[in-house]
Amino acid sequence: MRIIDHGKVSYVLGLKWTETDGGDPQAHLRDLVGAQRCVFQAMGKRRHRQPVGYTTDVEPFVGKKKAANPVSLVAAVLALGQDGVYLYDLDDGHAWLCIVHQGKVLSTPEGAESVLPTARATTAATQIARNVNVPIRSNIEAVGNESFSIDVLPAKGRKLPGMRVSSASNNLVGGLVLAAVVAGIGYGAWTTFADQKPKGSSAAVLAEQERQAYASSVTASIPALDQDPAWILDAYRMAETNFPSLVEGWSLTKVACEPAMCTGVYEIAKQASVYSFEGLKERFGAHRVRLVQGQEQVNISIERESSPRIWSAEEILDPVRHPMDLVDLHGLLRVRVPQVKVEPGFSISEIDVGPRPVLVRPMTRELIVTNNSNRASASTVGAQVEVMGDAGFVPVALLMNQGDESTAGWRIEWVRINGAVS
């Protein structure tokens, strides 16, 4: 949980979220968290499946140092009446994420809102915005983003009820565990808090809920992948075009690319008599340039168009099995692309999100890393794409060292999501 103080209002981020059965939200929370007191905010009128955000960390809301007029940031954003993927940089390496579509709050990886590492939140926002066709509203400057600031939120008391501290009770019985509720919300579900529960026999309903909850949990746990493994070849060419080896007295040392972005790392050139940080900002755009490490290193990030891979519930509940074994793929790479080295061993890990429905095979994340100590070339990258793509692998990261012959080299991480053997 985070609290942002803004004037006479404190906005609360990172609440846990649940839905009532139409009764008193406070009674519902007592069943959920037991005897613990909590602070909560119910959104909208009391009705079937009323969204309620809460935290059991009561201390910031009581006593002399309590937050001033606390309001859930989710509720404040919803009150704006503007659809969008809201992305708010918290200046500590994390960002807050919330999605509003057609006047309703959609699910993020962790419920109605998420606080995620900034890079992951940015990637997720881009993916979600394309899926639901809404703009990204953010305090992070980037191509296509619309500006968002806490200053535009409606003042408390005009439209927003504040958060409430639950009353104490000695007859509280612990009930459901929130994790089971949140696990059912993920990228692939895209269900709103206003949807109705499925109809049918209780056994069939429970079975279907279990399958959908599992599928949604797996979707949120799958690493971000691009649809086309050839994105890495386009990224390589973009890096070659956009990051000169020497610019404004700064020397390029490495380039790192992921599907949505390439970042060039520059250091002050040893032979440079003068250098200009302002010159870099004018050339690349101030929002793309970041000074790090005692003002001796600069990171320049350039966005690129990506096509995130979206997993349907059907693909997760009946996962495809790629037939080529990793050992055979290692051997094929050595024959087809002899200039490529494959890091020893390989990684296979199950995407484990808890209990799996009956007759549903698990999914695994398989990783292979290729590299070489020579400079990367389009032909080498393209040859790998052909071999690895046929085996179901997609690159997730490209790193190129741009130094002299003794320090040059490249490294590519390849990931495959595979269905386990029955």
Side-chain angles (χ1 to χ4, degrees):
M1 183 190 70
R2 311 286 182 91
I3 297 178
I4 298 176
D5 293 323
H6 186 71
K8 298 181 179 180
V9 182
S10 295
Y11 293 106
V12 184
L13 296 68
L15 295 173
K16 299 175 182 178
W17 287 85
T18 182
E19 296 169 344
T20 72
D21 57 3
D24 179 13
Q26 193 164 192
H28 174 77
L29 291 174
R30 288 173 181 170
D31 288 339
L32 191 66
V33 303
Q36 301 178 80
R37 295 185 73 189
C38 61
V39 179
F40 68 96
Q41 181 153 21
M43 302 209 307
K45 298 179 180 179
R46 187 178 299 179
R47 53 182 170 76
H48 181 62
R49 300 185 71 182
Q50 181 182 17
V52 180
Y54 73 96
T55 177
T56 55
D57 184 7
V58 178
E59 184 176 354
F61 304 95
V62 297
K64 294 182 179 180
K65 297 183 179 180
K66 65 181 180 180
N69 301 316
V71 173
S72 162
L73 188 55
V74 172
V77 163
L78 187 64
L80 285 175
Q82 295 180 332
D83 286 359
V85 177
Y86 288 86
L87 180 66
Y88 193 81
D89 188 4
L90 301 176
D91 293 326
D92 63 353
H94 291 77
W96 176 82
L97 183 66
C98 177
I99 307 104
V100 178
H101 180 54
Q102 295 182 350
K104 299 176 182 178
V105 177
L106 300 184
S107 57
T108 75
E110 298 176 3
E113 58 182 318
S114 295
V115 177
L116 303 169
T118 303
R120 184 184 168 198
T122 302
T123 300
T126 302
Q127 175 180 344
I128 294 166
R130 288 173 178 164
N131 287 338
V132 298
N133 193 28
V134 294
I136 297 176
R137 304 182 189 276
S138 176
N139 64 337
I140 300 174
E141 293 186 7
V143 176
N145 285 4
E146 295 188 11
S147 177
F148 169 68
S149 168
I150 286 182
D151 293 333
V152 305
L153 297 176
K156 183 190 176 297
R158 192 155 52 102
K159 291 185 178 180
L160 301 175
M163 297 186 68
R164 298 163 52 194
V165 180
S166 65
S167 59
S169 173
N170 295 324
N171 288 319
L172 302 180
V173 180
L176 302 175
V177 178
L178 177 67
V181 177
V182 175
I185 307 177
Y187 289 132
W190 302 120
T191 53
T192 70
F193 290 116
D195 291 336
Q196 297 298 314
K197 295 180 179 179
K199 299 179 180 180
S201 67
S202 58
V205 168
L206 291 175
E208 182 60 23
Q209 286 179 337
E210 180 186 21
R211 288 168 61 85
Q212 292 302 319
Y214 171 79
S216 297
S217 299
V218 169
T219 301
S221 301
I222 292 176
L225 301 177
D226 200 275
Q227 292 184 25
D228 185 1
W231 75 261
I232 196 170
L233 187 56
D234 293 335
Y236 167 81
R237 291 168 175 156
M238 187 189 86
E240 289 287 293
T241 302
N242 289 276
F243 296 121
S245 59
L246 186 65
V247 56
E248 300 291 343
W250 298 81
S251 179
L252 181 66
T253 60
K254 65 182 67 174
V255 177
C257 290
E258 56 186 28
M261 183 177 296
C262 281
T263 299
V265 179
Y266 283 85
E267 295 180 0
I268 298 173
K270 295 180 180 179
Q271 69 274 24
S273 56
V274 295
Y275 57 90
S276 172
F277 181 63
E278 288 299 321
L280 292 180
K281 292 194 291 185
E282 291 178 4
R283 178 187 179 97
F284 294 100
H287 66 285
R288 295 192 175 103
V289 180
R290 178 169 295 182
L291 193 62
V292 295
Q293 293 190 357
Q295 303 183 4
E296 296 179 353
Q297 179 179 305
V298 169
N299 290 352
I300 299 174
S301 298
I302 299 179
E303 307 82 1
R304 61 176 305 276
E305 289 293 328
S306 63
S307 301
R309 171 79 156 85
I310 308 299
W311 299 84
S312 67
E314 290 75 15
E315 291 174 303
I316 293 172
L317 296 172
D318 187 18
V320 170
R321 174 69 188 174
H322 296 284
M324 179 169 286
D325 188 271
L326 295 188
V327 176
D328 293 335
L329 181 57
H330 276 215
L332 181 62
L333 274 169
R334 291 187 174 96
V335 173
R336 295 277 298 276
V337 198
Q339 67 271 37
V340 167
K341 296 179 181 178
V342 182
E343 288 192 1
F346 43 80
S347 172
I348 303 177
S349 59
E350 180 180 338
I351 299 176
D352 186 5
V353 294
R356 193 172 65 255
V358 177
L359 301 179
V360 174
R361 291 179 293 116
M363 299 178 75
T364 59
R365 174 187 179 273
E366 301 172 349
L367 172 70
I368 287 180
V369 178
T370 57
N371 65 76
N372 207 327
S373 56
N374 299 323
R375 285 186 178 274
S377 68
S379 59
T380 299
V381 174
Q384 291 180 80
V385 167
E386 184 177 347
V387 176
M388 299 298 286
D390 288 344
F393 277 85
V394 177
V396 294
L398 166 66
L399 175 64
M400 297 182 289
N401 290 329
Q402 302 295 107
D404 54 30
E405 292 184 1
S406 63
T407 58
W410 56 266
R411 184 177 188 272
I412 302 176
E413 294 184 6
W414 304 83
V415 169
R416 178 172 74 179
I417 306 299
N418 208 1
V421 179
S422 300

